[in-house]
Amino acid sequence: MAAAQITAFPRRKLALIIGNDNYSKTYNKLNGSVKNAKKIRNLLKQIAFDVTIHTNIDANMMELIQNFCEQIDNGDLVLFYYSGHGCQVNGENYLIPIDDSNIEAETDVEDIGILVKNILKRLIEKNPSYATIAIFDCCVPYNLQNPTSSTPMVEDQTLGEIVPISGAFVQLICTAKQTDRTDQATNTDNVFNKHLIKTLTRKDVDITNIFQDIAMDVQQESNQTRQILFMHGLLSGGKIFLNKVSKIIPNVPKDAKWKFYAKTVAGDGRCSSTSRRLYCPKGIHVNKYQYVYIADSLNHRVMKFTRGTNTPRRIISRNISGYGPERLCGPSNIIYDYQSKSFIISDYYNQRVLRWCQNNSTCTETIIEGSDYFGLAMDDEGFLYVSDTGRHEVKRYRPGDHDGIVVAGGNGQGAHLNQLDHPTYIFIGPDKSVYVSDTWNDRVVRWDKGAADGVTVAGGQGKGRDRSQLNHPTGLIVDQFGTIYVADYWNHRVMRWYRGAAHGERIVGHKLLSGYKADQLNGPEGLAFDRYGNLYVADSNNHRIQRFRIEAD
């Protein structure tokens, strides 16, 4: 596989976890494999893996593996973790299900267990173009008894070297001779699993370096007496990340829920130009300190509200519309550029995009001008995306580029899949696709990189308030799972659309009515998550910013 096909954010991350303890022979029972499997499951779920786990399974293990493989689409990142018994017989590697009561010396070798190479083949058949990672924790030796002899057929022999078939990138195995049953008997992690759990989900470290670090840590802790047996496949295959962390894409639990009653964190429900009030706020940005930056549209300014204080700060413009380095006219959006440590602002009615250097209200620079620039987004590589409601398109700009290239729409105003109609808010998803609130078409459209047409991923069923419909979609966020969060302006609600779903679900806002109460919205626009998963909504026609607290598990 060419290294160029490796991307930082694969389309999906799937994991199959198996842990077996309860083998039929007393001397083969384990005491930590199920526990280790559950720990790995919990770790992977924290970094957005869709995890399937099975424990203490018998001879139907291959059937369960095949069922998991049916979920795989080509291009997925797939991880297989097995903790339990394995053994090598006649040069072949087998995993042993717990239904091993009939495994004896005269048993046909094909009945000993499940061939590792067959498992890898199944995993790769559905996914030839991306990474399949296999981790085998088969450290404790499996004793295969001979009923006519005191000498076991297999003793102190675990899996042997696995030569990866094409598409299998990693096999990581702990050595049998150097591991101990004491770890399992006392229900403590063996040294291999200890460092696997500590290291596996490190942020922004490619998988090869992760496993090299695990091997080094195991050797150092054991004074070179324990080693990782084999590691193959990734040293020359390009970088693959289990936990590539984005500064842009929020890490929201898959089935999160938010309290219906919000706290107002900016504004007070009445419009005016005083420092404590807002007038039709639109785009918002929330930083790691929970400071809220607001495009206070009809006050023609950008405001900063600091958590825990009652003193907001006006950071750009002076409540009077105008054109100049210290004037705005109807700003519609604000985002943060992590590379240049500056803010990007769409000065909508002035038909320009500005860069503002933080903490210096006079340091503004026009970086794009000449059309109706409304929505802003940025990817992790520093490319800027801008929606143009007049030209019905989205362009991508390289740093320092004033022209840009069309990446969505650009074929005139319309409702065909190669067109947009008044695109407003935009977001760059974990698959590097451009997501667009195609506002006057009442839909959210995803444009994959280089695509000639978009794909409707939310709404698109006409204007309405049914779960499959939107009415003037605005604020837009896509999380690490590809789940879409969209402000449904005239339905006065925020909707969540799981990837591939035919309909969405309301997560905040009243079921039917607009209003100013703590559980109601009136014309929601900009959306943002903070690092804890709390949801912020620019409740535009109520002239306030609402924070909906995420509910604890």
Side-chain angles (χ1 to χ4, degrees):
M1 186 191 69
Q5 292 175 292
I6 302 297
T7 61
F9 291 89
R11 188 170 62 81
R12 289 194 308 168
K13 299 192 288 189
L14 304 179
L16 175 61
I17 309 296
I18 295 176
N20 283 343
D21 274 336
N22 193 25
Y23 291 88
S24 60
K25 304 294 185 182
T26 302
Y27 46 75
N28 280 328
K29 288 184 181 295
L30 301 174
N31 199 29
S33 291
V34 170
K35 178 190 69 174
N36 290 334
K38 290 179 178 179
K39 286 185 176 181
I40 296 296
R41 173 201 59 191
N42 294 340
L43 284 174
L44 294 177
K45 288 182 72 172
Q46 291 174 13
I47 59 170
F49 268 85
D50 187 354
V51 180
T52 300
I53 185 170
H54 299 291
T55 59
N56 289 334
I57 56 178
D58 52 23
N60 71 341
M61 189 159 76
M62 194 62 191
E63 180 182 346
L64 296 176
I65 293 171
Q66 290 172 333
N67 290 340
F68 169 79
C69 291
E70 293 302 313
Q71 305 174 34
I72 299 173
D73 292 329
N74 193 22
D76 291 341
L77 173 59
V78 178
L79 187 146
F80 175 70
Y81 171 84
Y82 174 85
S83 182
H85 275 309
C87 69
Q88 180 185 184
V89 177
N90 297 336
E92 295 283 7
N93 290 297
Y94 297 86
L95 304 186
I96 311 297
I98 63 168
D99 185 19
D100 62 340
S101 57
N102 296 318
I103 298 178
E104 297 177 347
E106 66 267 21
T107 302
D108 190 316
V109 72
E110 294 298 330
D111 295 329
I112 288 175
I114 299 175
L115 279 166
V116 168
K117 64 182 181 182
N118 287 346
I119 295 172
L120 296 177
K121 180 180 178 182
R122 290 283 188 273
L123 292 169
I124 292 163
E125 280 176 342
K126 299 290 291 293
N127 185 34
S129 70
Y130 204 75
T132 296
I133 299 166
I135 304 173
F136 300 97
D137 179 16
C138 302
C139 297
V140 179
Y142 179 80
N143 289 322
L144 183 63
Q145 293 290 330
N146 187 326
T148 61
S149 169
S150 60
T151 304
M153 176 183 174
V154 178
E155 184 178 26
D156 293 339
Q157 186 171 358
T158 185
L159 299 183
E161 182 171 5
I162 300 172
V163 177
I165 60 179
S166 177
F169 286 86
V170 175
Q171 295 80 42
L172 184 64
I173 307 165
C174 192
T175 57
K177 297 289 186 181
Q178 298 152 355
T179 202
D180 46 41
R181 292 180 177 274
T182 307
D183 291 336
Q184 291 270 355
T186 58
N187 201 33
T188 60
D189 293 329
N190 60 50
V191 66
F192 165 69
N193 239 287
K194 170 184 173 182
H195 290 288
L196 177 67
I197 290 168
K198 182 182 77 172
T199 308
L200 185 62
T201 58
R202 284 170 55 194
K203 298 177 181 178
D204 297 321
V205 180
D206 75 275
I207 198 72
T208 299
N209 288 336
I210 281 177
F211 287 144
Q212 287 174 338
D213 290 345
I214 292 172
M216 183 180 302
D217 291 342
V218 168
Q219 292 180 49
Q220 288 179 350
E221 181 169 331
S222 64
N223 293 320
Q224 311 299 316
T225 62
R226 300 187 185 184
Q227 298 179 3
I228 302 302
L229 190 55
F230 304 115
M231 180 173 69
H232 289 303
L234 278 178
L235 296 177
S236 60
K239 292 186 176 182
I240 298 171
F241 298 89
L242 295 185
N243 190 18
K244 181 69 175 175
V245 177
S246 170
K247 292 183 172 65
I248 310 297
I249 298 165
N251 183 16
V252 182
K254 187 172 184 180
D255 297 310
K257 296 183 183 299
W258 291 266
K259 296 183 183 298
F260 274 110
Y261 293 91
K263 178 180 179 180
T264 299
V265 296
D268 64 2
R270 291 173 290 180
C271 63
S272 82
S273 60
T274 65
S275 63
R276 297 182 187 276
R277 291 182 179 172
L278 303 170
Y279 193 178
C280 290
K282 293 187 180 294
I284 56 177
H285 168 76
V286 180
N287 74 4
K288 64 181 179 180
Y289 305 110
Q290 295 180 295
Y291 299 166
V292 183
Y293 296 82
I294 305 162
D296 190 10
S297 179
L298 295 188
N299 277 326
H300 313 291
R301 65 188 183 184
V302 173
M303 298 293 290
K304 173 185 175 182
F305 283 75
T306 304
R307 178 176 170 84
T309 72
N310 294 319
T311 308
R313 178 186 170 198
R314 185 182 66 243
I315 57 176
I316 300 181
S317 197
R318 300 183 182 278
N319 307 338
I320 302 172
S321 65
Y323 186 92
E326 298 182 36
R327 290 287 187 269
L328 299 173
C329 188
S332 59
N333 218 322
I334 179 169
I335 62 172
Y336 187 69
D337 181 353
Y338 288 91
Q339 295 196 10
S340 66
K341 295 182 172 55
S342 62
F343 284 92
I344 311 294
I345 299 159
S346 52
D347 190 12
Y348 185 56
Y349 291 120
N350 279 328
Q351 295 189 318
R352 61 181 180 174
V353 176
L354 302 176
R355 183 184 300 279
W356 171 66
C357 300
Q358 195 171 6
N359 299 323
N360 187 343
S361 60
T362 63
C363 179
T364 57
E365 172 194 4
T366 299
I367 56 176
I368 309 169
E369 59 183 336
S371 196
D372 299 328
Y373 306 119
F374 187 98
L376 303 171
M378 187 163 280
D379 63 26
D380 284 295
E381 297 175 357
F383 287 85
L384 175 65
Y385 299 73
V386 182
S387 69
D388 188 331
T389 61
R391 293 173 177 162
H392 310 287
E393 65 187 18
V394 178
K395 279 189 173 183
R396 182 179 68 229
Y397 296 83
R398 291 178 177 272
D401 179 13
H402 297 282
D403 296 323
I405 62 170
V406 175
V407 293
N411 295 296
Q413 182 179 15
H416 295 298
L417 286 177
N418 69 341
Q419 294 178 306
L420 297 170
D421 193 349
H422 201 80
T424 54
Y425 294 82
I426 55 178
F427 197 90
I428 311 306
D431 50 8
K432 292 296 188 287
S433 295
V434 181
Y435 290 76
V436 186
S437 278
D438 190 10
T439 300
W440 289 1
N441 280 325
D442 302 301
R443 66 188 181 184
V444 175
V445 184
R446 187 189 75 230
W447 290 67
D448 296 325
K449 186 175 181 179
D453 296 332
V455 178
T456 299
V457 291
Q461 302 298 315
K463 195 184 304 291
R465 64 184 186 190
D466 185 76
R467 290 197 303 162
S468 63
Q469 295 175 304
L470 297 169
N471 190 348
H472 200 84
T474 48
L476 181 64
I477 296 175
V478 182
D479 70 13
Q480 78 277 21
F481 295 103
T483 303
I484 297 164
Y485 303 83
V486 57
D488 194 5
Y489 186 88
W490 286 120
N491 284 325
H492 315 291
R493 63 188 181 182
V494 177
M495 299 289 285
R496 170 169 60 188
W497 241 273
Y498 287 113
R499 188 181 186 95
H503 57 77
E505 61 177 346
R506 176 178 55 91
I507 57 173
V508 298
H510 195 276
K511 185 176 182 179
L512 296 174
L513 302 174
S514 64
Y516 57 86
K517 295 180 181 179
D519 65 337
Q520 294 178 311
L521 299 169
N522 188 352
E525 291 232 11
L527 302 179
F529 286 106
D530 66 20
R531 60 177 177 167
Y532 304 106
N534 301 314
L535 174 63
Y536 294 70
V537 181
D539 190 11
S540 187
N541 293 336
N542 280 327
H543 316 292
R544 64 186 182 180
I545 308 300
Q546 298 290 84
R547 183 183 70 214
F548 294 87
R549 189 176 295 278
I550 192 169
E551 293 185 348
D553 293 337

